[in-house]
Every structure is written in C-alpha cells, then in structure tokens.
Amino acid sequence: MPPNEPTKPPPVITLDDQGITQLAKALIQRRTPSTQRGILAIAGVPGSGKSTLAKALIDLLNRAQTGLAVGLPMDAYHMTNTKLEKLGLRKRKGSVQTFEAQQYFKHLAMVRDANKRVSLPTFDRTIGDPVYTGTPEHTVGSQTRYIITEGNYLLLDELPWTAIDELADLRVWIDIPTERSKRQTIQRHIRFGRTPQEAKLWYETNDQLNADFITQRSRHADLIVRWP
C-alpha cells in the first residue's frame, strides 16, 4: 500500500517499458540547474523492486550517453556487520536504526553538485557489507547528469529522512501488494544463501516489521508506480 497521500493523489505510472521511459522523461523535464545533477529517489517496502527499477532507469539513461546516470542505493549505507554486532542490532539489520543515514545524505548532497567527482559505496550481498569498488558504475564523474537513489526509508516523515525533499527532484513510491513483496523478499534471501525456512523466519521477524513501519510512517510521493 502507498504511504499517506495528499488530498489530490499523485499520478500513477505502470512500470512497463513505456512507463519506465515516462519516468525517465519526468526526471529530465524537471530542468535541474546546470550547476546541479538531477536526482530521482525511489522508496518502497522490502521486496518492492526498488533496485530493479533503479537499474532499468540507469540502463535507459546510459543508452543515450555512457555514464549519464549513476545509482546510489541506500543499502550501501548499511552499518557493517561488525558494528551491528557491537550494538546488538545484528538481528534487526535493515531496520531504520541500522543505516548510516548522515553519511548517506552527506554523499547525496555531494553528488547533487555537478562540479564534484565522487566515488560511491555499493552493497555486496555476498559478504553483507558496504564496499568501495572504484569502478565507473560507482563513480560520479563530469559526464554524470542524473543520480538514481533508492531505499526503504526515503519518505519517512522524520529527520534526517525529510532532507530528501531538498535534494531530490522527483520522489517515487512503489506500490505493491504485500504478498508479492513478501514472496520476492524471501526469494532474494534464498538466492543469497538462506534456506527457505531461514528466509521465511527472517522475513517474519525483521522484514515484515520494517515494511509495517515504512507504510505507517512514510509521507506521500510525487509519483506512485506499480509493476504490471
């Protein structure tokens, strides 16, 4: 379900090929000043397809010009497993308190400046920690005009998350049925090494709590998108 909406509901886009193109055009048409890069922020519950949509948009924009768009996933700002162990938060990894939110927004403000070249972290699911690769796909350079960022908590109605309003040109919420997001989240856990039983338990004791928190505490978006 979408987060709380204003009196006039935001437009809804279906994420087929035409809809993804429409979303890319909506970002381009925001007419961001030449001194700034355009930023599109995607929010949604676990398993809603945020990274899938981000990749589709990045691929589409980069077909026009190599390096035109770069991704900034919020997952890259997970606290390390070592830090989570020290804080006693390892079993709640992925909850709002387990992210380096200040560092995320610091980097987002940096890449907003079109004159800055920034090396960004990414999240390595095989080890479960953020890493710096230094590769072109994780580097914001002089040719980069658009940043596609995505994360569970980008529309939370509390600090520091409300900073997204000043940094993003377009805020998008993925509306998805609960059973579909649950299924996709469990499948992802299995893909990265958990047994089906472990994946289901992790969803019920962690991901579902996070999903409920997100839908209850998030604000409205500029656009709502739905997978076909």
Side-chain angles (χ1 to χ4, degrees), residues 102-167:
Q102 297 293 346
Q103 184 183 7
Y104 166 79
F105 281 109
K106 178 182 177 181
H107 277 178
L108 196 61
M110 288 172 65
V111 300
R112 179 71 156 162
D113 185 340
N115 296 314
K116 290 190 181 296
R117 186 180 187 279
V118 185
S119 179
L120 298 173
T122 187
F123 186 69
D124 187 335
R125 291 191 180 275
T126 60
I127 64 173
D129 268 340
V131 296
Y132 280 87
T133 66
T135 58
E137 65 180 316
H138 300 131
T139 301
V140 177
S142 58
Q143 76 281 15
T144 308
R145 286 296 303 148
Y146 301 104
I147 305 296
I148 310 299
T149 188
E150 50 87 8
N152 292 338
Y153 304 106
L154 295 186
L155 288 177
L156 282 191
D157 193 15
E158 59 186 63
L159 293 171
W161 306 99
T162 49
I164 199 69
D165 296 351
E166 300 298 322
L167 294 170

Side-chain angles (χ1 to χ4, degrees), residues 55-67:
K55 184 180 186 304
L57 287 168
I58 292 166
D59 289 347
L60 177 63
L61 290 165
N62 285 344
R63 281 201 290 271
Q65 177 185 323
T66 302

Side-chain angles (χ1 to χ4, degrees), residues 2-227:
N4 297 328
E5 297 177 2
T7 304
K8 183 179 180 182
V12 178
I13 293 176
T14 299
L15 293 173
D16 51 17
D17 289 346
Q18 182 178 356
I20 292 172
T21 299
Q22 183 182 350
L23 194 54
K25 287 181 177 178
L27 173 62
I28 294 169
Q29 291 168 355
R30 289 285 163 147
R31 298 180 181 177
T32 307
S34 60
T35 56
Q36 296 180 342
R37 295 184 176 97
I39 295 178
L40 185 147
I42 304 167
V45 299
S48 57
K50 299 180 295 298
S51 58
T52 300
L53 175 55
K55 184 180 186 304
L57 287 168
I58 292 166
D59 289 347
L60 177 63
L61 290 165
N62 285 344
R63 281 201 290 271
Q65 177 185 323
T66 302
L68 189 65
V70 172
L72 181 62
M74 208 187 82
D75 275 355
Y77 298 88
H78 271 293
M79 290 179 181
T80 64
N81 288 330
T82 300
K83 184 173 183 177
L84 291 174
E85 291 286 357
K86 289 179 179 178
L87 296 173
L89 291 172
R90 185 69 177 84
K91 291 185 178 180
R92 289 293 285 122
K93 185 172 184 174
S95 58
V96 68
Q97 69 269 34
T98 64
F99 286 90
E100 305 284 9
Q102 297 293 346
Q103 184 183 7
Y104 166 79
F105 281 109
K106 178 182 177 181
H107 277 178
L108 196 61
M110 288 172 65
V111 300
R112 179 71 156 162
D113 185 340
N115 296 314
K116 290 190 181 296
R117 186 180 187 279
V118 185
S119 179
L120 298 173
T122 187
F123 186 69
D124 187 335
R125 291 191 180 275
T126 60
I127 64 173
D129 268 340
V131 296
Y132 280 87
T133 66
T135 58
E137 65 180 316
H138 300 131
T139 301
V140 177
S142 58
Q143 76 281 15
T144 308
R145 286 296 303 148
Y146 301 104
I147 305 296
I148 310 299
T149 188
E150 50 87 8
N152 292 338
Y153 304 106
L154 295 186
L155 288 177
L156 282 191
D157 193 15
E158 59 186 63
L159 293 171
W161 306 99
T162 49
I164 199 69
D165 296 351
E166 300 298 322
L167 294 170
D169 298 280
L170 196 60
R171 301 167 309 145
V172 175
W173 170 265
I174 300 181
D175 183 27
I176 187 169
T178 300
E179 282 305 310
R180 182 173 177 180
S181 62
K182 175 182 178 180
R183 181 174 67 252
Q184 292 177 171
T185 304
I186 291 173
Q187 288 172 347
R188 182 175 64 203
H189 290 322
I190 294 171
R191 193 162 64 248
F192 286 97
R194 287 191 170 99
T195 66
Q197 294 77 14
E198 290 170 340
K200 185 173 183 291
L201 180 63
W202 184 266
Y203 179 86
E204 292 173 348
T205 59
N206 192 42
D207 296 315
Q208 189 170 9
L209 299 178
N210 297 335
D212 291 343
F213 177 79
I214 292 161
T215 54
Q216 292 165 10
R217 302 286 288 274
S218 291
R219 298 165 297 127
H220 68 84
D222 301 308
L223 287 172
I224 292 175
V225 298
R226 295 176 180 141
W227 296 105

